[in-house]
Amino acid sequence: MTIGQAAGLKLGKAVRDAFGTALKELGNEFPTVVTVDGDVGNSTRTEVFAKAFPERGFNVGIAESNMVGVAAGLAAAGKIPVVSSFAAFLTCNAYDQIRMCVAYPHLNVKMVGSHAGISIGEDGASQMAIEDIALMSALPGVAVVVPADAPSTKHLVKGMLEHKGPVYMRCGRIDVPEIYGPDSVLTIGKANQLRDGKNLTIIANGLMVGIALDAAVALEAKGITARVLDLHTVSPIDQEAIVKAVKETGRLVVAEEHLPHGGVGSAVASVTAQLAPCPIEFVNIGNTYAESGDPEGLLKKYGLTAEAIVAAAEKVCSR
Amino acid sequence: MAIFKPLSLDEMKAKTKVLRRHIVRMTTEAGSGHPSSSMSAVEMVTALFFGGFMQHDPAQPRWNNRDRFILSKGHAVPVLYAALAECGYFPVEELMTLRKLGSRLEGHPNMKRLDCIEASTGSLGQGLSVGVGHALACHMDGLSAHTYVMLGDGEMGEGQVWEALASAEKYKLANLTAIVDQNGYQQTGATKDVLKLTEFQPKIEAFGWHVQTINGNDIEQVIAALTIARSIKDRPTAIVSQTQKGFGILPILAPTGDLNYHGKPLSKELAEKALALLAD
């Protein structure tokens, strides 16, 4: 992968790997944490935790609906269940269970969807969650968190376990560049400014943060300076950071590995429409399903590149 | 921790009439609700809450080692509200606020509004999974608490129920009892006409559970079955509780020509007749 190269970033681990490792490392500090899997723990990496704490790891089989219900019962009885599957199957297959058993009673269930977005690559569109942010942020009281790299994942996993109430964390499959240092501190609900600029702000999360940083470098060569905000928490959204960005830079580009509707772009636009109207351009996969292919080729074909962000930035600056 | 002194058989029989009267009154006052789906389950709920099977404490509804009752067939919540009020979790007069704006007694159970409700239900097929989670947690914590989950027979059409049955067997949850309130009807008619899932005992036994089939409107059979269920120590247990929808007020429902009487309250006139029939 060439993500982060222009910005001088080094390739690090995948978010899913960092999630599994962090969960295991926090196992003793959070003795009530248990994992509930739908037989893909080796892919979502909860297996790392379950191997270290075998009496606290449950695999209920390929049965996502039951998996979420079991997690709700465990939470009602005082545990902190971390329930995980591929993001597509967790959020789409078990959506009613998430709504009824977790969100409606506001139970302390941590829902982790791995293999999110088109960057999973060759397995194809059936495995790619591209609507999960829309689904999960539609539910009242559910925090939606999208880490950008391994070091921030480590910190956000702890934040997720400390957070009281339901959380959805979206994890990608592929290795991504390291954006944060090992001691970075991130707070759920607070966007993180990675770079300052005066002409526009690029808001991104997940995989798109590294690509946004590359775009900012390319824009600088063209005389356009861009602030880059890592909006790792989509819900509750950091209105303050968004309004500040509009006031100080005047324009926004929102980049996400998601459908155009209901995701980060919609969430940001709903804040600006109400509190700080401004020109905005959106970079996303478009209103379509993707296909099988290598991750880099898919990102290029579906418009998730630094070049696409640069074009959007130039367009928004001309408005 | 309060352990309720079990009622005598005669006292329990009297209590079933009290619960049925509450069900009639509150649904007629609300002008909506599911009295007939509640009526079929009265003997089971009475035996659980008043027969010494459930250890629970109205002063500490979320006491760790309480026995749990989850009503997966959430539309039958009037029977649960009636029992909870009779136990002292909230005033009996509050039953008349059922389904009204601002009331804690919503049309389907909501655990955020009433802390004696163990699970928010109303989307069918989900309660047994939540019960598996409770039973797993109690087992991990070395608690003696037992979890009871009541399902409807129509609800067994949901695939998630069978997922839950399989997962409970995997973890040998002897502290979990599923009760299928087989009253024979679902929304559009007889359960046997919708899906041929009616032979529950062999199906659930095939999942490795201990299963008993009883007449669930005979409280002595209910007590015997719950006693056996509690004595099984190596696997989860199920009771297929064959009941009649509207049991207790069937002479009132029969002349209406609708023995299903699903999701509608009795008119004030029919309610008066029902209350007379259910008088002490």
Side-chain angles (χ1 to χ4, degrees), chain A residues 4 14 22 50 55 67 74 76 157-158 169 190 196 251 259 268 316:
Chain A
E55 74 289 356
M67 172 183 79
L74 284 159
V157 168
K158 190 170 187 210
M169 179 175 280
K190 288 282 160 207
D196 204 4
R251 292 170 165 76
L259 292 173
V268 169
V316 85

Side-chain angles (χ1 to χ4, degrees), chain A residues 113-204:
Chain A
S114 73
H115 294 61
I118 64 172
S119 59
I120 69 163
E122 290 79 357
D123 278 332
S126 70
Q127 317 292 297
M128 297 168 176
I130 53 171
E131 58 289 270
D132 56 324
I133 303 291
L135 288 168
M136 299 306 282
S137 52
L139 296 167
V142 177
V144 177
V145 181
V146 188
D149 72 347
S152 65
T153 301
K154 187 178 172 182
H155 199 82
L156 289 168
V157 168
K158 190 170 187 210
M160 171 175 80
L161 298 181
E162 285 168 344
H163 184 89
K164 300 269 185 284
V167 179
Y168 172 63
M169 179 175 280
R170 178 194 229 214
C171 299
R173 186 185 77 85
I174 59 169
D175 291 342
V176 288
E178 284 199 1
I179 292 155
Y180 291 93
D183 301 319
S184 301
V185 173
L186 287 89
T187 306
I188 287 181
K190 288 282 160 207
N192 201 63
Q193 184 175 316
L194 292 164
R195 179 189 171 108
D196 204 4
K198 61 180 188 326
N199 303 114
L200 81 154
T201 298
I202 305 169
I203 295 178

Side-chain angles (χ1 to χ4, degrees), chain A residues 34 55-60 63-66 69-70 72-74 76-77 79 96-97 100-101 104-107, chain B residues 66 68 106 109-112 118 120-123 126 129-130 132-134 136-137 140-141 160 163-164 167 170-171:
Chain A
V34 296
E55 74 289 356
R56 290 159 60 186
F58 303 104
N59 178 0
V60 297
E64 290 82 9
S65 310
N66 181 49
V70 169
L74 284 159
K79 304 296 179 195
D96 185 28
Q97 288 73 16
M100 265 310 295
C101 297
Y104 174 50
H106 198 71
L107 286 173
Chain B
R66 71 194 182 280
R68 279 96 162 145
E106 296 199 29
N110 179 350
M111 66 185 290
K112 289 306 278 184
E118 299 287 2
S120 299
T121 54
S123 201
Q126 301 184 2
S129 301
V130 179
V132 169
H134 272 278
L136 264 178
M140 287 177 80
D141 292 346
Q160 187 186 346
E163 297 177 2
S167 63
K170 172 175 178 176
Y171 294 106

Side-chain angles (χ1 to χ4, degrees), chain B residues 72-129:
Chain B
S72 192
K73 48 173 269 181
H75 54 282
V77 73
V79 67
L80 179 56
Y81 291 151
L84 291 168
E86 283 293 316
C87 287
Y89 282 95
F90 52 82
V92 166
E93 304 78 63
E94 199 172 337
L95 292 172
M96 298 307 272
T97 69
L98 174 74
R99 290 176 167 247
K100 290 183 179 171
L101 193 62
S103 170
R104 300 188 291 173
L105 309 189
E106 296 199 29
H108 290 78
N110 179 350
M111 66 185 290
K112 289 306 278 184
R113 300 271 267 180
L114 265 182
D115 53 13
C116 50
I117 296 288
E118 299 287 2
S120 299
T121 54
S123 201
L124 292 172
Q126 301 184 2
L128 189 57
S129 301

Side-chain angles (χ1 to χ4, degrees), chain A residues 232-298:
Chain A
H232 53 75
T233 307
V234 183
S235 181
I237 198 163
D238 188 349
Q239 292 190 342
E240 202 181 326
I242 294 167
V243 171
K244 186 166 182 271
V246 173
K247 282 190 178 152
E248 293 174 5
T249 71
R251 292 170 165 76
L252 303 180
V253 169
V254 186
E256 61 184 316
E257 193 183 5
H258 192 273
L259 292 173
H261 36 264
V264 190
S266 299
V268 169
S270 126
V271 172
T272 61
Q274 195 179 6
L275 301 173
C278 71
I280 309 182
E281 290 294 328
F282 303 100
V283 173
N284 50 54
I285 69 165
N287 197 13
T288 183
Y289 290 100
E291 63 192 75
S292 291
D294 66 287
E296 201 164 1
L298 281 163

Side-chain angles (χ1 to χ4, degrees), chain A residues 99-112:
Chain A
R99 165 185 170 269
M100 265 310 295
C101 297
V102 176
Y104 174 50
H106 198 71
L107 286 173
N108 199 22
V109 177
K110 314 307 172 188
M111 299 164 280
V112 179

